[in-house]
């Protein structure tokens, strides 16, 4: 998990730019940490960049609930933006013929996809659930 000190980075997935991060204090790399999965995005410097590396991010988030709340708010904001966008796409393609007409069904499947139940950690038990 990284914290941007200065500069600008571009977040990409499969070579497609998704976001530009240029706000000092912004966190990236948090999704793979929280989900316990390998990173799925690539972060590229768009200018000279200075970052701070959070060496043990899970312990850091457990011991600093304010930081954990900030990461949660950032993630929730990103999810809200994506959900609004997907709802707009679904509305625009409602009633479309062929493959485009299937977009609504695909989005419904994605929205209702449930992951295994999480076991919340604590300061005494900060380990994420096994996958």
């Amino acid at each position: 998990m990284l914290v941007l000190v200065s500069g600008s980075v571009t977040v990409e997935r499969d070579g497609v730019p998704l976001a530009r991060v240029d706000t000092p204090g912004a966190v990236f790399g948090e999704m793979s940490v929280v989900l316990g999965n390998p990173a799925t995005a690539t972060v590229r410097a768009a200018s000279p960049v200075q970052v701070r590396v959070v060496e043990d991010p899970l312990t850091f988030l457990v011991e600093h609930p304010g930081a954990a709340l900030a990461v949660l708010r950032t993630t929730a904001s990103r999810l809200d933006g994506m959900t609004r966008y997907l709802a707009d796409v679904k509305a625009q393609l409602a009633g479309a013929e062929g493959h485009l007409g299937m977009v609504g069904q695909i989005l419904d499947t994605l929205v209702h996809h449930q992951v295994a139940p999480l076991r919340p950690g604590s300061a005494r038990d900060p380990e994420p659930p096994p996958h």
Side-chain angles (χ1 to χ4, degrees), residues 8-68:
S8 176
V9 299
T10 301
V11 180
E12 302 174 359
R13 183 152 186 180
D14 298 328
V16 177
L18 299 174
R20 184 178 191 99
V21 179
D22 58 7
T23 304
V27 175
F28 45 97
E30 78 286 354
M31 285 178 54
S32 63
V33 169
V34 172
L35 295 174
N37 294 329
T40 58
T42 300
V43 177
R44 296 189 193 280
S47 70
V49 173
Q50 182 179 6
V51 297
R52 291 221 166 99
V53 177
V54 180
E55 295 294 340
D56 185 356
L58 288 176
T59 299
F60 177 81
L61 292 173
V62 168
E63 292 177 356
H64 299 89

